[in-house]
Amino acid sequence: MPLASSAAMPLCGLPDETPHERLIFASHPDGLRCIIAIHNTKRGPGFGGSRLWKYPNDQAALADALRLSQGMTFKNALAGIPFGGGKAVILAPEGPFDRESLFAQFGDVVQSAGGAYITAEDVGTTTADMEIVAGRTAYVSGLCRSAGFGGDPSPKTAWGVFVAIEKGLRLHANKSLAGSTVAVQGLGSVGMALCQYLADRQVKLVVADINPARVAQAVSSFGAVALHVDRILEAQADVLAPCALGGVLNARTIPHIRSNLIAGAANNQLATPGDGDALHARGVMYLPDFLVNAGGIISVAREYLGTGNGPGVLAEIGLIGERVAELFDRIRNGNSPSREAERWAQEKLEAV
Ligand code: NAI
């Protein structure tokens, strides 16, 4: 039963952009504090990863859960998989903690949702964590033990972003990958795998990460040029690929962006919906995160459903390129890509 909520009705002091169906707040005396946000189950159970993160306060954690789960509704609808939008955030405990116990407790909370939410990896969680969750619930994917496909979604996410960049470059700038420059912000599981795919196609890389070891690895492995983290968004590049955290495209950063195309893995790259319009007004083609970064969820969804095989999953992720092309067609109506992609996802929801 959907909660009565609207864009105008604050939820715990936060505006809830679109109504969420269900929120689960759980805490355990041994340390777990988590929120599961189930945004929309019209297409199927809410499916999205679990983020383990140190939030400044509980409201910030709730805000993240609300936005991330809404993004999953759009992402899963556009990806054409039979799932709705959901996401979990686990508030990282202060100081050292027992990881096995934390994820076992989290598995119990996932189980308590009775299948309305299915989890997998996200920032801060690993396949080993999901194996622990799997000891307590079957509503989990992205496991080490899957045969041939599934498992860690990050390389699949990177593959989808790569496909989107290739198609976007062709359609927006009439350029091919070889010889083009891509600026990658964040060299974690997805960013580093993306660099590998791009380097294999003779793309010049400009990179930044707050972790110097990751930067050193990209410089030595791919001949990447390192930039300071404060300068990467304004790099002179054909493509900007945000692959760290959300909110990086905002009123402060947008005026300084020099790439004409943005396509990256990070969820919720736009700080506000209006920032998508601001990019559009500047002639910057922003490929919405929830369209571009669906490779991982496609992979874990197929693993969960037990349908598909390795090449089939890669081919399905490759369809992200076709959706990028369709978005280029759709924005001939003058809408910004972010608004149009949301509209497109809404159409898919209404068609159910
Ligand atoms: P990760 O945690 O492995 O990597 C994030 C990287 O960003 C780290 O190396 C971190 O040091 C770096 N970073 C953090 N703040 C930074 C800053 N201000 N400037 C530069 N670098 C910074 O995370 P992962 O899995 O690679 O995910 C990256 C993004 O993609 C996240 O926003 C995630 O939600 C999103 N995403 C990931 C998926 C996956 O399959 N892993 C699927 C869909 C979205």
Side-chain angles (χ1 to χ4, degrees):
M1 176 76 173
L3 290 175
S5 173
S6 76
M9 189 179 292
L11 187 65
C12 304
L14 292 167
D16 193 9
E17 286 172 27
T18 66
H20 281 69
E21 287 183 15
R22 192 168 167 193
L23 292 172
I24 299 169
F25 296 84
S27 64
H28 190 284
D30 288 349
L32 174 74
R33 299 180 70 233
C34 71
I35 304 168
I36 295 177
I38 302 171
H39 177 250
N40 186 300
T41 56
K42 220 173 161 192
R43 293 179 58 86
F47 200 157
S50 321
R51 176 169 292 192
L52 175 67
W53 195 248
K54 210 173 259 314
Y55 290 96
N57 52 53
D58 292 0
Q59 245 200 359
L62 175 60
D64 210 22
L66 292 176
R67 264 202 99 187
L68 288 166
S69 57
Q70 181 186 333
M72 290 311 300
T73 298
F74 294 152
K75 189 186 304 192
N76 294 346
L78 284 186
I81 54 176
F83 295 102
K87 199 90 181 181
V89 300
I90 303 171
L91 291 86
E94 292 297 331
F97 60 93
D98 179 342
R99 205 163 174 109
E100 186 144 2
S101 160
L102 187 91
F103 280 95
Q105 293 155 24
F106 176 65
D108 288 340
V109 182
V110 173
Q111 176 64 20
S112 76
Y117 168 67
I118 301 156
T119 199
E121 296 87 346
D122 188 50
V123 173
T125 58
T126 64
T127 46
D129 298 329
M130 292 308 123
E131 286 289 350
I132 299 167
V133 172
R136 301 298 189 107
T137 181
Y139 303 121
V140 56
S141 190
L143 304 171
C144 317
R145 58 169 172 257
S146 44
F149 70 108
D152 177 11
S154 306
K156 309 297 189 319
T157 301
W159 179 247
V161 176
F162 170 81
V163 166
I165 288 175
E166 183 173 37
K167 183 66 81 175
L169 258 180
R170 169 67 58 214
L171 294 176
H172 191 60
N174 197 21
K175 281 192 170 181
S176 53
L177 284 170
S180 294
T181 304
V182 177
V184 182
Q185 180 196 40
L187 298 165
S189 316
V190 180
M192 197 67 88
L194 175 64
C195 286
Q196 178 74 66
Y197 292 133
L198 292 168
D200 288 347
R201 295 286 296 273
Q202 288 78 51
V203 172
K204 293 180 246 170
L205 294 167
V206 182
V207 299
D209 196 295
I210 50 173
N211 181 343
R214 304 295 287 182
V215 175
Q217 187 185 335
V219 169
S220 69
S221 304
F222 313 122
V225 173
L227 276 194
H228 191 274
V229 284
D230 293 340
R231 308 303 300 272
I232 190 72
L233 294 173
E234 58 196 59
Q236 187 75 59
D238 298 291
V239 184
L240 171 63
C243 297
L245 292 175
V248 294
L249 305 176
N250 55 48
R252 186 176 52 80
T253 59
I254 286 171
H256 304 287
I257 285 172
R258 288 195 277 176
S259 303
N260 286 323
L261 178 69
I262 302 178
N267 285 310
N268 299 334
Q269 289 165 39
L270 298 175
T272 68
D275 293 316
D277 303 329
L279 287 166
H280 189 53
R282 284 200 54 205
V284 178
M285 181 71 189
Y286 166 66
L287 299 182
D289 42 40
F290 56 82
L291 186 154
V292 160
N293 69 11
I297 194 73
I298 291 170
S299 172
V300 294
R302 287 292 157 222
E303 174 188 337
Y304 184 78
L305 293 167
T307 52
N309 52 47
V313 169
L314 281 184
E316 191 173 346
I317 295 169
L319 296 177
I320 289 173
E322 291 185 16
R323 287 193 277 276
V324 167
E326 190 168 341
L327 184 64
F328 272 84
D329 278 344
R330 292 180 67 115
I331 59 169
R332 292 206 183 119
N333 62 10
N335 275 348
S336 67
S338 49
R339 301 261 183 208
E340 188 56 34
E342 281 196 20
R343 208 165 74 123
W344 188 7
Q346 293 288 1
E347 283 168 19
K348 293 218 169 214
L349 285 175
E350 277 152 30
V352 174

